Amino acid sequence: MTGSAGAVDVQSTLQRMRRRGGLPVAFGGLFSGARQFRISELTGTTTNSLRGLAITPGNGLGGKVLTMSRPISVADYPTSRAISHEYDAAVGAEGLRSMLAVPVVVRGRVRGVLYGALRQPLVLGDRALTAAVESARELERVLESELAQELAVREEAQRLLTEARQRRGQPPGPQWEPSAEETEVWEEVREAHGDLRALAHRVPDRELREEILTACSRLARASSGRGRHREHRNGGGGVELSPREVDVLACVASGATNSTAAERLGLRPETVKSYLRSSMRKLGAHTRLHAVVEARRAGLLP
């Protein structure tokens, strides 16, 4: 889901939460993978001590919310006995005392956490808690809508892939269909692949950036043989796309719109459209979903 709602949705949600709840500080984030949650968005803060902080389920206020899946507040974070204190240094550096946290839950799973805080040890009232819960519900609706879009993309990609196999006389028997467990694992691999490609272009060291992109390419080539070795050997492997064209297709494969892909990759929407058109032409694809399928067949995407 990291490429789905995006930083803009979380940031605007936090800003609304601050205004409605009278909260001077708000922060939070969404899961960037199936198992990792980091604080990615801040508003009203004076330092970056919380940015990028990885929250482990059960630890601290946010970790407790991840585990219990319900809103929790503390009147004085540093001295509270209701939570553990693994993140006291980061919280203290920002000078936060009273704090609340609410889960963002979509389809029964916690997808993220929103926090609100004061710099005084005061009991947070109903206004602040209500604003936080309402803001979380609004973000959940956005995520639900974009998750539905992502699932539709995956279903269409699977349909196109099945048609391609049938045209080659390869009936979609059990050998082609992954189990539910395999599907979950490979979707996580694909999500991590897209995240790594997006991260690579923010790395200033050229050699390190190239190493990350090379590792991504190896991952894509290795996974392209999963259950479809004959397809990979019989063609498709000769297609060459630029790194940015692959980046865009990786975002499209996750269900991202052009604007969301542009935000993730630090590009303009018009540039994303240009890369998408050129990659479709090289792959002989007529739609963006068809391009994703052909890129996977060619070993360019996992």
Side-chain angles (χ1 to χ4, degrees):
M1 298 285 299
T2 42
S4 300
V8 170
D9 290 320
V10 177
Q11 183 68 218
S12 60
T13 297
L14 292 171
Q15 290 170 355
R16 288 195 301 272
M17 189 174 96
R18 283 183 65 197
R19 291 195 302 268
R20 295 170 179 173
L23 294 161
V25 178
F27 52 97
L30 303 174
F31 274 86
S32 58
R35 298 184 179 88
Q36 186 179 62
F37 170 70
R38 290 181 181 272
I39 295 172
S40 60
E41 303 302 317
L42 313 172
T43 176
T45 53
T46 58
T47 73
N48 279 319
S49 65
L50 298 168
R51 189 180 298 279
L53 192 64
I55 306 299
T56 302
N59 291 351
L61 181 64
K64 191 170 183 178
V65 167
L66 289 176
T67 300
M68 301 185 70
S69 189
R70 65 175 178 83
I72 300 174
S73 64
V74 293
D76 190 13
Y77 190 101
T79 63
S80 175
R81 296 184 180 181
I83 59 172
S84 59
H85 291 275
E86 291 82 1
Y87 312 113
D88 281 7
V91 172
E94 184 58 40
L96 303 180
R97 302 294 294 273
S98 181
M99 193 182 304
L100 61 80
V102 297
V104 177
V105 182
V106 179
R107 300 192 179 186
R109 289 178 54 192
V110 178
R111 305 283 183 168
V113 179
L114 305 181
Y115 300 78
L118 307 175
R119 292 190 169 85
Q120 302 83 28
L122 303 173
V123 176
L124 286 162
D126 290 342
R127 177 190 174 192
L129 183 58
T130 299
V133 171
E134 288 179 350
S135 299
R137 298 299 88 83
E138 290 170 358
L139 183 56
E140 287 167 2
R141 286 191 287 271
V142 172
L143 291 172
E144 177 69 33
S145 174
E146 295 193 350
L147 178 59
Q149 178 188 8
E150 181 178 335
L151 292 174
V153 168
R154 293 178 185 176
E155 289 172 2
E156 178 66 6
Q158 183 60 46
R159 183 186 68 78
L160 291 169
L161 183 57
T162 299
E163 289 180 357
R165 289 167 179 161
Q166 290 173 338
R167 287 196 299 271
R168 291 171 173 79
Q170 300 168 341
Q175 68 269 30
W176 302 109
E177 301 301 327
S179 66
E181 292 79 8
E182 289 173 330
T183 297
E184 183 177 352
V185 169
W186 279 99
E187 288 304 331
E188 187 171 344
V189 168
R190 286 168 174 170
E191 186 174 353
H193 172 266
D195 289 344
L196 281 172
R197 291 200 67 93
L199 175 64
H201 293 282
R202 297 199 297 270
V203 174
D205 187 302
R206 180 178 177 181
E207 290 187 4
L208 178 57
R209 181 170 62 251
E210 292 301 322
E211 286 183 17
I212 294 174
L213 290 174
T214 298
C216 288
S217 298
R218 290 175 56 195
L219 175 63
R221 286 195 301 271
S223 61
S224 68
R226 179 176 59 91
R228 51 183 190 270
H229 298 287
R230 285 179 293 174
E231 285 186 74
H232 189 56
R233 287 199 301 268
N234 290 342
V239 177
E240 293 187 4
L241 300 184
S242 72
R244 275 311 203 184
E245 288 170 341
V246 177
D247 293 340
V248 168
L249 284 180
C251 288
V252 170
S254 72
T257 62
N258 288 348
S259 59
T260 301
E263 180 189 333
R264 288 186 63 191
L265 300 173
L267 300 173
R268 298 173 59 188
E270 294 78 9
T271 305
V272 168
K273 291 179 184 178
S274 177
Y275 282 131
L276 185 56
R277 283 194 298 268
S278 62
S279 63
M280 288 170 59
R281 183 178 63 254
K282 293 177 182 178
L283 291 164
H286 302 293
T287 68
R288 54 199 285 132
L289 301 183
H290 189 193
V292 170
V293 172
E294 292 301 323
R296 286 175 177 167
R297 287 189 59 247
L300 299 169
L301 294 177

